[in-house]
Amino acid sequence: MNSDDNSSPLLSPVANGVPIRLMNKLAILSDAAKYDASCASSGATKRDSLTGSGVGSTEGMGICHSYAPDGRCISLLKVLLTNFCTFDCLYCVNRVSSNVPRARFEIDELVDLVLSFYKRNYIEGLFLSSGIIRDPDYTMEQIVEVARRLREVHDFRGYIHLKTIPEATPELLASAGRYADRLSINVELARPDSLSALAPQKEAGGIRQAMAGIRSKLDESRDRSHSGRKAPGFSASGQSTQMIVGADDANDGELLDCSESLYKGYQLKRVYYSAFSPIPDASAALPLAPPDLNREHRLYQADWLMRFYGFAVDEIVAGGENGMLDPALDPKLAWALKHRERFPVDVNTAERELLLRVPGLGTRGVDRLLTSRRLRRLTLADLGRICGSVARMRPFVVTRDWRPTALLDAGGLRAQLLQGSAQLSLFD
Amino acid sequence: MNRHSGPPTLHTVQLQRPDDFDGWRLIARQHLAAGTLPESLVWEAGEATADLFSEPLSPAEPTVPPNPSRPAAPLPVVPRAFLELARCVACHRAPDRYALLYRVLWRSCHGESGLLDMPSDPDMHRLHILGKCVARERHKMHAFVRFRQTPSVEPEHFSAWFEPEHHTLRLSSGFFVRRFANMHWSIVTPEESAHWNGQTLQFGPGGHRSNNTAPEMMEELWKTYFANIFNPARLKLDAMRSEMPVKYWKNLPEAPLIAELVHNAGARSQQMVEALASDPPRYARRATAPPAQAQAQAQAQAQAQAQAQAQGQGQGHTGNKDG
C-alpha cells in the first residue's frame, strides 16, 4: 500500500469532529497490540527538548500516564503498524487464520498521532510492533521508517520501543537500534518444540541469533574507540522479551531457567511473562480458559528474586512442588518456610545477603536498615518505621527487643502466614 | 512544651509562599545560629488566607533575636539527601511541616549528629512519609496533567487544569519545561498557575475548573485507545485504583469510560472463552501452505494480502466515505 494520501490524516473524514477512519484503525491496531505486556519507558538516556526543535524528554524513571481496568500501566502508545500477518502463530490474535478485522496505519498518520498524543501529555512515546506483511525485511523497514521520521523529521525526543522481527537483516536491526530506546524480540515459548508446534513459521534458533546480534551491538555502543570517542547510541535501555505462560505444558522451573539463560546470554533488561489470555476468534488447538494471573504474578516475583535478591532458579523452584511455584505464597516466603534452619536473622548484625532473604524485607528496606543500624541497635518498632510493616517479618527476625522463640518451629506457621496474608489483602 | 521555667518567647516567622523552601532554609539557618529553640518558633507559610501576590516579606531580613540562654550552635552540615527531602516536605499541606524540619535540624546540632541519616527516628520517619507523599504527588502530576489545545491560537498553545493535593506546581513545572520546551503551555491549579512561552516560565494566580479549555477531538482518539488497549479477561480493579486513585479521575478524559468497560468485561471474556473456533478465512490456507509448494505460496500470499486488505477495509472502516 503506497502512501497516496498527502493531506493530513487527522483532517478527514470526520463525524462530530472525530476522524472516523483513523479512529477505527486505532481501535483495531491497539486491540491487536494489547497482548504484549511491556509498557516500560524507563532506562533511556537522559535527554530533553531544550536544545532541540521538537518535543520530548526522558529522565530515567518511566511514567505511567494512565491505568486500564486490567491494572496495567499505560505509558506508551502501544500499537501495531498493521495486523495483517502472513504467519500463523496459534496463540496470536493476528495470525493469518484468524477472522479479526484488519487495518494498517499510513506512516505519517501514525507519526502525527504519536506527536499529538505526546503534546497532550497522554504518553511517554511509542511501542511499535507489526504483523509480518510481504516479507520480514519489508515489514522491518516500515517500522524503522516510523521511528526515523519521528526522530529526524520531528526531532522527537520521547521514548521509542521497537519490536524487532528476528528474520530481518542485521542492517535493519542496526538502524532500528539507532532510533529506539529499547528493542525487543519475543521468545514466546520457553520450549523450542512448543514454538515449532504453535508457531510453525518461527524458529527458536533464529530468535536467539537475533538477540545475540542486538547484544553485540549493545556492547559495541558502550565501547569507546582508541581516540576515546563514544560509539553512536544504540537502544540505550537495552532489549527485553516476552514469554507466554500457560499456552503449553512448560512448568515454572522451565520458564525461569529459560529467563535465566536469556538474562545471562543476551543481557536482557527484562523478561515479561504474559499469561495466555483468551483472544477473540481463538484457535481450537489452545486452552480456552481465563488467564492464570496468579501464576503470572508468582513468576514476576520469582524473576525479581533472581535479579535483585541473589536467588538461584533451583532455590526458588524448590520453594514449591514439582517444578511449580507455590501458588498461595510469594516465592521468598515459600523458600524461607522450607529453610527454617537459616532463621531467625539478627537484623543488627546480619550481612546484606542474608537480610535480603528475610520475607517482607525489600532491597530498599535493607539499605535503610543498614544505615540506621550504624547509629543504634534497632528495635522491632524501628524496623517497622524503616520497612512499613513487620507483620510478615516477625517470625524470621531478631531485634534488640524481639526474638521469635518457638514461632519458627510451629507446625502451623504456613497456615498462620497464609491467613495473615489473606487478612492483609482484605485491608489493602 | 517549655524546657525552661517560664514560657518561651514566641517568634512568628512569615514565609512568602506555602512551598517556600528557600525562605525557610535561610531563616532556619539564622535561628540555628542564634540558638532559637524549636518550641519558640511559629512558622507561617501563607496558606489559604495569604494573598500570593501581595508584597512579600523579604526572607533576607528577618529579625532574629539572639537567645542568651543557649550558646550558638555550629551550623550543621546537611546531607544532600536531606535537602532533597526537605524541598519536598516544604510542598506538603501539613501545617507543622516547617516546624518539624526545624526541629530535626536543631536536634542534629544538639547532640544527635547522624539523625538526618536515620529513617528509624520518629521525627525522621514522619518527614519521610510527608516527603514520599509529595514526591508521589509530583510524579502523579507529571503523569496525569492533560493538555488541551487552545482553539485558533497561533502559535499552538496548550493548557491544562490540575488539582494537586499538595503545593506541587512549582516543584513539578521544571519537568514540563524540559519536556515541552518548544511548546507554549499553561498549567492552572486552584492556587497558582504556571505559563511557559518557549522562553520563560512565569507564575500567576490560580483559576477555576470551569475556565478550563473545552474538550477537543484528540480526546476521542485517546479514549478509543484506552478502551481498546484494555484486556477484559484480566480485570484487576484494585491495581488500577491504587496507581490511579479516584481523586484524579474527574480531570482525566478517559476515566468516564472505566465504569462501562468494567461492567462489560465479564461478558466479553466469557464470550471469548465460550466461542467455538471459527473457520479460518480462505486466504489463510494458501498463506500457510506447506513448504513443498513454496513457489505457489509466494503468489498465494500476494493474493491473500490483497484479500485481507479488502476484508480489513470492509470490516474495519465502517465510516470510510472517501474510499
Side-chain angles (χ1 to χ4, degrees):
Chain A
M1 210 191 296
N2 292 315
S3 175
D4 51 8
D5 177 12
N6 289 326
S7 66
S8 167
L10 297 187
L11 291 179
S12 61
V14 291
N16 295 328
V18 180
I20 294 298
R21 207 178 86 170
L22 179 61
M23 197 163 172
N24 285 327
K25 281 190 191 184
L26 177 60
I28 292 170
L29 293 169
S30 48
D31 186 84
K34 69 180 157 208
Y35 302 97
D36 251 308
S38 167
C39 203
S41 56
S42 54
T45 332
K46 212 173 160 172
R47 57 176 185 254
D48 59 43
S49 52
L50 285 166
T51 55
S53 58
V55 288
S57 63
T58 51
E59 308 201 339
M61 191 174 18
I63 297 175
C64 296
H65 287 273
S66 193
Y67 287 83
D70 51 23
R72 281 182 164 172
C73 142
I74 300 178
S75 177
L76 304 170
L77 173 63
K78 180 161 53 174
V79 289
L80 265 58
L81 189 57
T82 175
N83 66 338
F84 290 111
C85 191
T86 54
F87 279 23
D88 199 29
C89 310
L90 294 190
Y91 48 78
C92 179
V93 64
N94 304 311
R95 69 190 186 284
V96 65
S97 59
S98 155
N99 286 295
V100 290
R102 309 275 174 173
R104 176 177 175 176
F105 279 123
E106 302 291 336
I107 289 180
D108 278 332
E109 186 175 51
L110 180 56
V111 166
D112 279 3
L113 192 63
V114 172
L115 294 171
S116 299
F117 275 14
Y118 198 90
K119 285 178 172 179
R120 286 158 181 80
N121 205 38
Y122 299 162
I123 53 172
E124 289 294 287
L126 173 68
F127 177 0
L128 186 60
S129 176
S130 181
I132 313 250
I133 41 170
R134 211 174 297 178
D135 59 60
D137 274 354
Y138 173 75
T139 310
M140 197 64 218
E141 271 166 28
Q142 298 287 301
I143 291 177
V144 171
E145 181 60 13
V146 172
R148 189 195 68 80
R149 284 191 208 174
L150 278 168
R151 293 285 193 234
E152 292 185 353
V153 179
H154 300 280
D155 196 16
F156 175 68
R157 301 189 177 186
Y159 195 90
I160 297 181
H161 177 165
L162 298 179
K163 178 67 74 58
T164 318
I165 296 165
E167 294 81 6
T169 56
E171 290 74 26
L172 280 168
L173 233 126
S175 54
R178 245 197 328 275
Y179 302 119
D181 295 288
R182 172 167 285 184
L183 297 177
S184 64
I185 301 174
N186 287 357
V187 293
E188 312 288 13
L189 296 157
R191 288 184 181 168
D193 58 323
S194 298
L195 189 71
S196 47
L198 297 180
Q201 290 104 324
K202 291 202 177 187
E203 206 255 303
I207 291 176
R208 280 173 173 70
Q209 227 165 39
M211 284 181 164
I214 294 180
R215 187 205 158 151
S216 69
K217 290 271 176 208
L218 285 167
D219 290 345
E220 277 169 34
S221 74
R222 289 193 197 103
D223 282 350
R224 287 174 186 267
S225 72
H226 63 282
S227 62
R229 181 182 298 208
K230 267 179 85 173
F234 184 89
S235 184
S237 82
Q239 61 171 329
S240 63
T241 194
Q242 172 169 297
M243 253 188 276
I244 302 166
V245 178
D248 65 352
D249 295 330
N251 67 25
D252 293 343
E254 286 174 80
L255 297 179
L256 292 170
D257 274 333
C258 179
S259 301
E260 190 185 37
S261 77
L262 294 172
Y263 282 126
K264 283 192 181 143
Y266 311 109
Q267 291 188 348
L268 263 74
K269 276 278 156 52
R270 281 293 296 273
V271 174
Y272 291 91
Y273 304 90
S274 180
F276 179 68
S277 166
I279 48 178
D281 201 33
S283 159
L286 286 170
L288 270 175
D292 192 343
L293 299 184
N294 186 56
R295 185 177 174 200
E296 182 189 284
H297 177 57
R298 298 289 175 226
L299 282 167
Y300 275 116
Q301 289 178 317
D303 188 272
W304 233 254
L305 291 185
M306 188 158 87
R307 288 188 295 146
F308 305 116
Y309 289 81
F311 279 81
V313 171
D314 49 358
E315 284 182 300
I316 300 171
V317 178
E321 301 293 337
N322 303 324
M324 295 298 280
L325 300 170
D326 189 332
L329 291 178
D330 86 73
K332 195 174 172 189
L333 187 55
W335 177 84
L337 285 173
K338 289 200 173 177
H339 295 83
R340 299 188 193 191
E341 73 284 356
R342 310 270 290 262
F343 297 96
V345 165
D346 187 335
V347 299
N348 282 301
T349 55
E351 305 265 314
R352 188 166 197 278
E353 290 67 37
L354 205 51
L355 291 170
L356 284 172
R357 300 248 158 176
V358 174
L361 200 47
T363 47
R364 222 183 296 172
V366 167
D367 290 339
R368 298 174 67 180
L369 189 157
L370 290 171
T371 14
S372 296
R373 81 180 188 191
R374 272 189 268 146
L375 298 157
R376 51 183 282 187
R377 293 196 59 217
L378 303 174
T379 62
L380 201 61
D382 288 331
L383 200 58
R385 282 189 289 268
I386 291 169
C387 308
S389 157
V390 289
R392 282 204 303 167
M393 275 176 240
R394 222 179 257 266
F396 303 101
V397 293
V398 170
T399 65
R400 199 176 79 197
D401 57 347
W402 168 260
R403 183 168 283 277
T405 57
L407 216 77
L408 256 181
D409 305 321
L413 181 57
R414 187 189 141 89
Q416 241 179 56
L417 286 165
L418 268 176
Q419 203 185 7
S421 67
Q423 276 168 358
L424 275 181
S425 67
L426 274 180
F427 299 105
D428 268 352
Chain B
M1 284 201 281
N2 47 335
R3 295 174 182 221
H4 305 285
S5 43
T9 328
L10 287 182
H11 306 289
T12 298
V13 180
Q14 184 69 52
L15 295 174
Q16 287 189 60
R17 294 191 321 271
D19 60 343
D20 189 9
F21 167 76
D22 293 319
W24 167 82
R25 190 180 176 188
L26 206 63
I27 296 177
R29 267 199 188 145
Q30 293 166 346
H31 278 291
L32 274 180
T36 315
L37 291 172
E39 48 270 45
S40 45
L41 284 177
V42 177
W43 297 86
E44 280 179 3
E47 228 101 12
T49 52
D51 180 0
L52 286 169
F53 299 94
S54 63
E55 196 60 37
L57 293 169
S58 167
E61 342 160 357
T63 48
V64 183
N67 186 336
S69 66
R70 289 266 154 186
L75 285 179
V77 180
V78 171
R80 185 188 295 268
F82 177 78
L83 282 183
E84 283 312 303
L85 174 66
R87 195 179 287 280
C88 280
V89 169
C91 301
H92 202 280
R93 278 196 201 279
D96 62 337
R97 62 192 181 282
Y98 288 113
L100 188 61
L101 283 169
Y102 183 74
R103 187 162 75 224
V104 295
L105 270 192
W106 194 89
R107 283 177 59 200
S108 77
C109 302
H110 291 84
E112 295 186 66
S113 61
L115 173 71
L116 303 182
D117 278 325
M118 196 156 67
S120 58
D121 176 81
D123 275 351
M124 286 306 297
H125 177 58
R126 173 122 195 282
L127 281 179
H128 280 290
I129 289 177
L130 298 184
K132 213 168 155 183
C133 277
V134 171
R136 184 177 158 93
E137 185 69 9
R138 168 174 60 181
H139 186 72
K140 293 300 179 193
M141 199 163 168
H142 294 163
F144 299 147
V145 157
R146 295 279 186 268
F147 285 115
R148 285 174 172 166
Q149 186 166 7
T150 316
S152 21
V153 171
E154 279 296 328
E156 288 186 332
H157 178 269
F158 293 83
S159 74
W161 166 251
F162 195 79
E163 296 168 58
E165 190 172 327
H166 301 289
H167 311 287
T168 44
L169 179 65
R170 287 176 191 240
L171 190 68
S172 63
S173 55
F175 165 85
F176 292 103
V177 168
R178 292 187 295 277
R179 173 156 292 194
F180 302 113
N182 299 300
M183 239 166 73
H184 295 201
W185 52 261
S186 303
I187 300 172
V188 184
T189 74
E191 286 180 341
E192 203 179 11
S193 56
H195 307 271
W196 173 258
N197 62 5
Q199 302 291 327
T200 50
L201 182 64
Q202 288 184 313
F203 295 93
H208 296 280
R209 186 162 193 252
S210 56
N211 294 337
N212 192 15
T213 313
E216 53 167 341
M217 173 272 281
M218 201 52 69
E219 283 178 9
E220 295 307 313
L221 289 171
W222 171 240
K223 282 151 76 175
T224 301
Y225 178 63
F226 184 79
N228 284 282
I229 202 69
F230 162 58
N231 183 350
R234 301 179 55 105
L235 205 58
K236 267 191 182 173
L237 281 173
D238 289 345
M240 175 186 69
R241 282 199 210 97
S242 78
E243 295 299 335
M244 191 165 79
V246 177
K247 67 177 179 185
Y248 297 109
W249 290 17
K250 63 178 170 178
N251 292 319
L252 292 171
E254 66 271 28
L257 297 180
I258 294 172
E260 199 189 334
L261 289 174
V262 171
H263 180 76
N264 296 333
R268 279 173 71 195
S269 54
Q270 196 56 31
Q271 246 168 32
M272 287 191 282
V273 172
E274 281 170 3
L276 295 174
S278 62
D279 288 331
R282 263 185 306 167
Y283 56 77
R285 252 169 289 155
R286 270 168 279 157
T288 55
Q293 306 163 11
Q295 250 185 342
Q297 190 188 9
Q299 206 186 350
Q301 271 185 7
Q303 280 175 16
Q305 213 179 321
Q307 283 191 23
Q309 282 172 9
Q311 175 157 2
Q313 278 173 3
Q315 293 189 10
H317 308 149
T318 44
N320 183 0
K321 293 202 178 69
D322 68 347

